[in-house]
Amino acid sequence: MERAAQVRAGSALFAGFRALRLFSSDIPHVVRYSALKRRFYVTTCVGKSFHTYDVSNSVPQDICCMAADGRLVFAAYGNVFSAFARNKEVVHTFKGHKAEIHLLQPFGDHIISIDTDSILIIWHIYSEEEYLRLTFDKSVFKISTILHPSTYLNKVLLGSEQGSLQLWNVKSNKLLYTFPGWKVGVTALQQAPALDVVAVGLMSGQVIIHNIKFDETLMKFRQDWGPITSISFRTDGHPIMAAGSPCGHIGLWDLEDKKLINQMRNAHSTAIAGLTFLHREPLLVTNGADNALRIWIFDGPTGEGRLLRFRMGHSASLTSIRYYGQNGQQILSASQDGTLQSFSTVHEKFNKSLGHGLINKKRVKRKGLQNTMSVRLPPITRFAAEEARESDWDGIIACHQGKLSCSTWNYQKSTIGAYFLKPKGMKTDDITATAVDITSCGNFAVIGLSSGTVDVYNMQSGIHRGSFGKDQAHTGSVRGVAVDGLNQLTITAGSEQLLKFWNFKSKVLIHSMSLDSSPNMMLLHRDSGFLGLALDDFSIKVLDIETRKIVREFSGHQGQINDMAFSPDGRWLISAAMDCSIRTWDLPSGCLIDCFLLDSAPLNVTMSPTGDFLATSHVDHLGIYLWSNISLYSVVSLRPLPTDYVPSVVMLPGTCQSQDIEVSEEQLEPCDEMVEYESPEQLNAHLVTLSLLPESRWKNLLNLDVIKKKNKPKEPPKVPKSAPFFIPTVPGLVPRFAVPEQNNDPQQSKVVNLGILAQKSNFYLKLEEGLENNKYEAALNLLKELGPSGIETELRNLSPDGGGSIEVMQSFLKMIGIMMDRKRDFELAQAYLALFLKLHLKMLPSEPILLEEMTKLSSQVEENWIHLQSLFNQSMCVLNYIKSALL
């Protein structure tokens, strides 16, 4: 049971919410037409989900191919594929393949699936039964593409990697015809607007327009960009064919003139996964592995398509992400593709791209350069942003890979800014900018270089405003810079294991401290003044910039720490490392309170200013993943994790919001995190413990006579007249009043029975039992249930005059002594003893047994009071010092 408690399912603080800015992959899109709504729907694949611009539910594995008809969307994952209705509900699941499925073809009420072993299965959609299975020899005919030719009933055309094509009748299970092909692998098949004509895309870059009825080639086209990835025809009256390529270019061919009429270069930065002309519309839909979905419109006289709409994310792994603003709704992200983009956590319509960094934006505009690859800046490695003066001038500063100068960006204008900040006279190619920060007022930028120099620039004018140190701030490379919230202090960290504190205005060194290892990165929480340092030895140190002392040290990561983030209140420090773990450290307690593993190492982590979401980016992933903060809407135990805690692997969230999962009670029972803490009756035997009874039960025991006297009525109550309203009469002819009957029984005794008054109470009996077994818990519990008057009555009746005995009084004093020894119900023992002494003080000295017990009690009470008095005096001394001392 103890071992089971150390293994927790996932994270206790963060739950996967959804992924942002994922739009496309290398799987071709599918287009379907809804006759009911008279609209086209484009479906693209994103990892384990697909988008129809409503988002689908996810499937267990990454989607490997898709297809769609007018009612359903089919998605294959592994050797299984499912049919989705309304883009979300899984209505059918088909299992039967042993290899991965790579082709799907809707076929009326049937669906054709083909796996990598060239096994073709035809399924009935609604019964999910297998209708036909065909097996092909991979060495002779490995199926690479499939097409259902228009008007060819029950027939499909299969293309192979060997180059030949086969036409099959799937109803009669017969091979009708084999096309010898062109000795090159077939990569794409597409039905032309004319009947019996199909376009065949080849590995050689050729597109063959072929009549399959007469086995006759009508025309050939050739592209020099590699294999044909996708083909589509315009159906709005223009005889145009589009062909995609692996390098992202699209060729447009005129079928009447048999020539290339236009080239859409760099339509995507990666291979064209799919392209489709919408039926009877001049619109071309394209998608690629660059995480982009684009719609092009052909409304110009030259026949060239222009970009109409797009959904685009990053096409390469992310280098840095940070929340922008204080509302927690925008995330700035930089990527290896060289772009800086802003993603909204609310809706995609608020997303925007700040574009690529250009070396000379004016020159590009003046000359109208189409290919800007040669003038683009390298990818951004680090950036800092501040929204205080975003409407006045640039509010983002970024350093680029291998570049000395840092670029400014304007969030409001969504473009690169006006300045490139670099020190004058420094022309060494080996020196690069390694760290940046921007002040909270938005007026100054601080830039650290690999040479050890730290410079300050004005963001409005781009003018250099000084450097820290005489020649350079550090002898090694600058690993981090930070400015406090009041522009009073600047902190810099160097690779020579030094951390330095500078006066921001005078640029004078205030303090320098050495570190155990070289810092890898640095992060400042301006509100609390905590500085987080990630070192090369995989440890984390937290400093207070006011006292300039290390206040916390954390260790536990087994790989390089990539990024850190503070919670908005400064209580948590969240770290992400190459050991695929994300750890949450509690600064007040100095303990690790949460840890979970991921299947991909986290590169960046940032916490929302409102504390509701944690955003992460990962190796080989293009999206930003949001994790909701469970502590905001649920009770979470923040107990420190044990040293032998084994974190579990958590799957990355999908593009749809995570649904609530019902958890059975059996799964909840072993988890000790959800059990409420119950305080013991006594924390320690040496601690004085008070009861939980209200003060009215014991505080006024000594003043009961005063209270009774105060509550005594001033005059006795008046007896009402005993005459009844109707005087009873005796029935008869003469009216007479009825006389009350008198009891003339001579056997009834007139002597009052005192046996009832002499009965022993339960408390009295429990005290008698305590003399024999020395257990007084039951007697004490009876006293706790009584009110002040009842307690006085019980204690008064303990004396021989009240019907008690000396032995019972001795038993009561023993009960008080046991309470003093255990130091439990301390105030009750004092109150009960004080009342006992008040009631029986005159007779105690005359009884030796009781006097002996009183002597023992006196020493116990004095010992306890001396101990308490020393603690009270010590506390009063500390309080007086705090109130009077000048700190």
Side-chain angles (χ1 to χ4, degrees):
M1 180 63 69
E2 294 181 358
R3 185 62 180 171
Q6 295 175 359
V7 180
R8 186 167 58 192
S11 170
L13 288 180
F14 301 106
F17 183 64
R18 67 187 181 101
L20 299 177
R21 211 63 172 173
L22 292 175
F23 301 106
S24 177
S25 67
D26 57 344
I27 305 301
H29 67 267
V30 292
V31 176
R32 63 189 185 92
Y33 178 74
S34 173
L36 180 63
K37 298 183 179 180
R38 297 182 179 180
R39 296 182 63 181
F40 288 97
Y41 291 95
V42 181
T43 303
T44 60
C45 162
V46 178
K48 300 177 183 178
S49 304
F50 61 84
H51 290 186
T52 313
Y53 292 94
D54 286 328
V55 183
S56 75
N57 288 333
S58 62
V59 295
Q61 302 178 30
D62 286 351
I63 296 174
C64 48
C65 66
M66 289 193 311
D69 59 14
R71 295 160 295 178
L72 302 174
V73 175
F74 302 91
Y77 45 95
N79 57 358
V80 180
F81 71 98
S82 299
F84 292 79
R86 292 176 290 276
N87 303 315
K88 291 186 178 182
E89 301 174 12
V90 178
V91 292
H92 303 290
T93 300
F94 304 89
K95 300 179 181 180
H97 285 280
K98 296 182 179 179
E100 182 179 288
I101 300 170
H102 75 113
L103 291 174
L104 291 174
Q105 176 64 51
F107 199 70
D109 291 339
H110 296 76
I111 176 78
I112 302 174
S113 61
I114 302 172
D115 60 23
T116 54
D117 289 339
S118 291
I119 295 178
L120 183 149
I121 302 179
I122 302 177
W123 310 82
H124 190 278
I125 294 178
Y126 300 103
S127 65
E128 300 179 12
E129 295 179 355
E130 185 177 316
Y131 174 76
L132 177 66
R133 179 185 290 256
L134 296 176
T135 303
F136 296 85
D137 187 357
K138 291 195 298 182
S139 60
V140 178
F141 193 88
K142 185 175 183 180
I143 302 174
S144 60
T145 183
I146 184 173
L147 173 68
H148 171 50
S150 297
T151 69
Y152 280 58
L153 188 64
N154 299 327
K155 299 175 181 62
V156 292
L157 180 65
L158 304 176
S160 68
E161 293 185 0
Q162 288 79 10
S164 59
L165 292 88
Q166 294 183 2
L167 184 64
W168 282 79
N169 187 318
V170 293
K171 185 175 182 179
S172 61
N173 190 15
K174 291 182 179 180
L175 175 62
L176 302 179
Y177 191 76
T178 299
F179 301 90
W182 297 267
K183 299 181 180 180
V184 183
V186 179
T187 58
L189 288 175
Q190 181 63 38
Q191 174 69 50
L195 296 180
D196 304 324
V197 178
V198 297
V200 183
L202 304 179
M203 288 287 295
S204 60
Q206 280 186 317
V207 179
I208 310 296
I209 308 299
H210 197 76
N211 189 310
I212 58 174
K213 184 176 182 179
F214 301 104
D215 191 10
E216 179 183 354
T217 298
L218 304 180
M219 59 188 76
K220 293 182 180 181
F221 305 103
R222 184 179 184 86
Q223 295 180 174
D224 296 330
W225 302 323
I228 303 299
T229 59
S230 183
I231 303 173
S232 184
F233 292 90
R234 285 183 68 172
T235 55
D236 60 338
H238 297 269
I240 303 297
M241 179 188 69
S245 66
C247 55
H249 305 327
I250 298 175
L252 299 174
W253 302 85
D254 190 316
L255 300 179
E256 288 185 352
D257 297 338
K258 300 181 181 180
K259 66 178 182 179
L260 180 69
I261 60 170
N262 220 318
Q263 298 180 10
M264 298 170 58
R265 290 185 173 267
N266 300 313
H268 289 268
S269 59
T270 58
I272 304 294
L275 54 86
T276 306
F277 277 106
L278 299 186
H279 185 62
R280 293 184 179 178
E281 297 282 347
L283 301 176
L284 176 66
V285 181
T286 63
N287 79 296
D290 58 350
N291 194 22
L293 173 67
R294 294 183 170 95
I295 299 179
W296 311 82
I297 184 169
F298 294 82
D299 56 357
T302 60
E304 182 180 3
R306 63 178 178 88
L307 188 60
L308 179 64
R309 299 187 187 93
F310 65 92
R311 286 283 187 268
M312 182 181 66
H314 286 296
S315 60
S317 59
L318 280 67
T319 58
S320 182
I321 62 172
R322 285 292 179 268
Y323 268 94
Y324 182 79
Q326 297 301 316
N327 57 7
Q329 296 180 358
Q330 298 291 336
I331 300 177
L332 279 176
S333 64
S335 169
Q336 289 286 351
D337 59 10
T339 61
L340 182 65
Q341 299 190 28
S342 173
F343 299 154
S344 172
T345 60
V346 179
H347 197 275
E348 289 179 358
K349 66 181 180 181
F350 300 116
N351 294 347
K352 62 179 181 179
S353 175
L354 279 69
H356 287 85
L358 302 177
I359 298 176
N360 193 331
K361 185 172 66 172
K362 293 182 179 180
R363 175 173 169 268
V364 172
K365 282 187 175 182
R366 185 172 63 250
K367 294 191 175 182
L369 295 177
Q370 296 294 329
N371 187 6
T372 60
M373 297 295 293
S374 59
V375 294
R376 287 182 179 178
L377 288 170
I380 296 173
T381 55
R382 294 174 185 251
F383 67 86
E386 180 59 50
E387 65 169 354
R389 305 301 294 268
E390 66 171 5
S391 59
D392 300 323
W393 51 75
D394 301 338
I396 304 172
I397 180 74
C399 54
H400 298 262
Q401 181 178 341
K403 294 285 289 185
L404 172 62
S405 59
C406 292
S407 59
T408 62
W409 298 73
N410 193 299
Y411 183 83
Q412 210 169 47
K413 297 179 180 178
S414 303
T415 182
I416 192 170
Y419 304 109
F420 288 94
L421 307 180
K422 67 176 181 179
K424 294 182 179 180
M426 189 176 293
K427 298 182 180 180
T428 308
D429 296 334
D430 297 336
I431 301 176
T432 59
T434 55
V436 291
D437 194 19
I438 189 170
T439 58
S440 58
C441 62
N443 289 315
F444 299 99
V446 182
I447 301 174
L449 306 180
S450 59
S451 61
T453 304
V454 179
D455 300 297
V456 181
Y457 297 87
N458 186 281
M459 289 294 292
Q460 181 182 8
S461 61
I463 298 175
H464 185 264
R465 293 299 186 187
S467 302
F468 293 96
K470 293 183 179 180
D471 296 327
Q472 53 189 18
H474 292 271
T475 57
S477 175
V478 178
R479 297 288 177 84
V481 294
V483 184
D484 69 343
L486 300 176
N487 292 3
Q488 299 294 318
L489 198 64
T490 302
I491 306 104
T492 61
S495 60
E496 74 279 12
Q497 302 182 14
L498 283 180
L499 184 69
K500 294 185 179 182
F501 297 82
W502 309 81
N503 184 287
F504 180 78
K505 187 175 182 180
S506 63
K507 312 293 188 296
V508 176
L509 180 65
I510 300 175
H511 181 69
S512 178
M513 64 180 298
S514 60
L515 303 172
D516 299 335
S517 179
S518 296
N520 179 39
M521 70 161 298
M522 185 174 72
L523 181 66
L524 174 65
H525 188 260
R526 285 173 173 163
D527 294 340
S528 64
F530 285 148
L531 182 74
L533 277 171
L535 306 182
D536 285 343
D537 60 358
F538 311 150
S539 66
I540 299 174
K541 296 185 184 298
V542 180
L543 289 86
D544 187 351
I545 63 173
E546 295 294 333
T547 60
R548 305 184 189 101
K549 292 182 179 179
I550 296 176
V551 294
R552 291 290 183 268
E553 294 187 18
F554 302 119
S555 60
H557 280 293
Q558 304 298 321
Q560 175 184 320
I561 299 172
N562 294 327
D563 202 359
M564 297 185 298
F566 281 100
S567 62
D569 56 3
R571 293 180 62 89
W572 297 346
L573 177 63
I574 304 160
S575 57
M578 289 301 294
D579 58 2
C580 296
S581 69
I582 294 179
R583 297 173 182 255
T584 304
W585 313 88
D586 186 62
L587 296 182
S589 63
C591 299
L592 176 68
I593 59 174
D594 188 61
C595 177
F596 61 97
L597 297 177
L598 298 156
D599 53 2
S600 180
L603 290 176
N604 301 281
V605 61
T606 181
M607 190 83 176
S608 168
T610 56
D612 51 355
F613 289 111
L614 177 75
T616 61
S617 67
H618 301 266
V619 175
D620 296 331
H621 288 268
L622 305 181
I624 297 175
Y625 297 89
L626 293 182
W627 309 80
S628 59
N629 186 356
I630 301 177
S631 66
L632 293 183
Y633 54 85
S634 178
V635 178
V636 175
S637 173
L638 297 181
R639 299 181 189 178
L641 297 181
T643 55
D644 58 345
Y645 175 73
V646 180
S648 58
V649 178
V650 178
M651 300 301 295
L652 291 175
T655 52
C656 59
Q657 296 183 9
S658 298
Q659 304 293 329
D660 294 334
I661 300 174
E662 295 183 0
V663 183
S664 62
E665 296 181 359
E666 298 179 356
Q667 296 175 344
L668 293 176
E669 287 179 359
C671 182
D672 64 342
E673 296 295 334
M674 301 180 66
V675 178
E676 294 185 2
Y677 175 73
E678 297 181 0
S679 177
E681 294 184 1
Q682 190 173 16
L683 297 178
N684 193 290
H686 301 289
L687 298 177
V688 171
T689 305
L690 304 180
S691 69
L692 298 178
L693 293 180
E695 292 184 352
S696 61
R697 293 286 189 91
W698 56 269
K699 193 173 184 179
N700 298 319
L701 287 178
L702 294 179
N703 304 320
L704 280 179
D705 51 352
V706 179
I707 296 174
K708 288 180 180 180
K709 186 177 181 181
K710 185 182 295 186
N711 295 336
K712 184 178 179 181
K714 295 181 180 180
E715 57 183 14
K718 296 180 180 180
V719 180
K721 295 180 179 181
S722 58
F725 185 80
F726 294 104
I727 299 176
T729 58
V730 178
L733 296 175
V734 180
R736 289 184 301 171
F737 294 106
V739 179
E741 296 182 359
Q742 295 181 357
N743 189 2
N744 297 323
D745 189 0
Q747 297 179 357
Q748 185 175 1
S749 174
K750 295 183 179 181
V751 179
V752 178
N753 186 8
L754 299 177
I756 299 175
L757 299 177
Q759 272 188 343
K760 297 178 181 180
S761 66
N762 291 332
F763 176 68
Y764 190 97
L765 295 175
K766 295 299 180 183
L767 287 180
E768 287 183 339
E769 293 178 4
L771 283 174
E772 299 176 0
N773 54 22
N774 202 28
K775 294 181 179 178
Y776 294 98
E777 287 82 2
L780 181 60
N781 291 333
L782 288 175
L783 271 189
K784 287 182 179 181
E785 294 175 358
L786 297 176
S789 299
I791 294 172
E792 185 192 26
T793 303
E794 291 287 356
L795 296 188
R796 192 182 294 276
N797 293 336
L798 294 180
S799 65
D801 296 340
S805 64
I806 302 297
E807 289 78 9
V808 175
M809 296 178 71
Q810 180 188 6
S811 177
F812 177 81
L813 293 176
K814 284 186 176 181
M815 182 185 75
I816 299 298
I818 291 176
M819 294 173 67
M820 292 291 183
D821 286 337
R822 296 180 179 177
K823 297 182 179 181
R824 289 174 56 180
D825 302 320
F826 191 76
E827 82 280 18
L828 295 184
Q830 300 288 341
Y832 295 161
L833 180 60
L835 180 60
F836 181 84
L837 293 177
K838 178 182 178 182
L839 297 175
H840 309 295
L841 187 60
K842 292 181 180 180
M843 68 165 295
L844 288 177
S846 61
E847 299 293 339
I849 298 176
L850 300 181
L851 193 61
E852 182 181 356
E853 290 292 337
M854 289 299 302
T855 306
K856 295 179 182 178
L857 272 179
S858 178
S859 61
Q860 288 180 336
V861 171
E862 185 177 4
E863 180 183 353
N864 289 337
W865 172 245
I866 291 174
H867 176 64
L868 285 177
Q869 190 176 26
S870 63
L871 294 177
F872 289 152
N873 291 337
Q874 183 180 359
S875 301
M876 292 297 295
C877 180
V878 173
L879 287 175
N880 289 331
Y881 172 74
I882 293 175
K883 289 161 62 177
S884 60
L886 296 176
L887 297 178

